[in-house]
Amino acid sequence: MIEGEFYQLGYVCDNLEEGIAQFRGRGMTHEPHIIEVDQPVNSPQGEVVNKLRLCFIWIGDVQYELIQPITDPLGIYANAPSNGAPIRFHQVCYRVKDWDDFRKRVNQQDLPVVMERDMGVDQVKFLYLDARAKFGHYLEYTWMTDASWNQTRAM
């Protein structure tokens, strides 16, 4: 299951500032903004809360998400294998237009959902499929309104 509009590559960092430094001088158009989130997600093990430091960097039409896990109760971010660099590749993200239709098809394919968040009507929704055995990384899918998408593009 690979579909939707590709827009993001996700990387895990032990130190977000060191990760950001890898992008300086490489097309970054503005100073990145760091946010800290307590992110409740549903998983096969029940609801857990990921505590993360995040940074989003746009270069052209690609967003680079840098993730510094503070707490990682599912071990999803710890699964990014070390490569000796300050950043480790983790996921590819696609935006889908019709979440309900997409979500029905998720249940009919062979990649397990490892975490998911639905923030409510007209709010961002996302899920991660574990595609490591097939592609070497997670697949993330998001849905958001056009207004939210425009905000995302402005980050």
Side-chain angles (χ1 to χ4, degrees):
M1 172 171 245
I2 298 177
E3 62 181 85
E5 176 185 352
F6 163 76
Y7 75 94
Q8 183 195 84
L9 296 170
Y11 293 86
V12 174
C13 312
D14 294 329
N15 179 301
L16 205 56
E17 287 75 8
E18 287 180 14
I20 292 167
Q22 302 308 304
F23 288 87
R24 295 201 187 282
R26 300 182 195 278
M28 239 175 31
T29 56
H30 60 279
E31 189 62 25
H33 179 69
I34 297 172
I35 60 173
E36 292 192 23
V37 297
D38 291 332
Q39 183 182 75
V41 295
N42 293 318
S43 77
Q45 294 80 26
E47 185 175 293
V48 300
V49 177
N50 294 319
K51 184 174 178 79
L52 310 168
R53 293 181 74 222
L54 302 172
C55 176
F56 301 96
I57 297 169
W58 284 95
I59 299 176
D61 290 332
V62 177
Q63 182 188 67
Y64 296 85
E65 178 184 25
L66 304 183
I67 306 161
Q68 179 183 342
I70 306 303
T71 61
D72 181 16
L74 298 171
I76 288 173
Y77 301 106
N79 288 334
S82 178
N83 59 8
I87 62 175
R88 300 179 302 281
F89 180 65
H90 188 257
Q91 87 259 0
V92 174
C93 185
Y94 299 88
R95 180 181 179 215
V96 296
K97 298 285 185 180
D98 184 333
W99 187 258
D100 293 333
D101 180 58
F102 168 76
R103 193 61 188 87
K104 286 177 197 169
R105 285 181 287 100
V106 165
N107 294 332
Q108 299 167 355
Q109 54 84 48
D110 65 343
L111 301 174
V113 175
V114 293
M115 72 175 170
E116 180 171 10
R117 184 163 190 201
D118 181 339
M119 298 170 66
V121 176
D122 290 338
Q123 299 295 315
V124 173
K125 302 171 191 336
F126 72 85
L127 64 76
Y128 276 55
L129 298 178
D130 189 348
R132 291 175 298 152
K134 301 216 184 272
F135 302 112
H137 56 79
Y138 290 98
L139 296 173
E140 181 182 7
Y141 291 91
T142 63
W143 175 90
M144 62 191 84
T145 64
D146 288 339
S148 292
W149 174 247
N150 291 335
Q151 270 187 314
T152 298
R153 290 286 301 158
M155 291 176 84

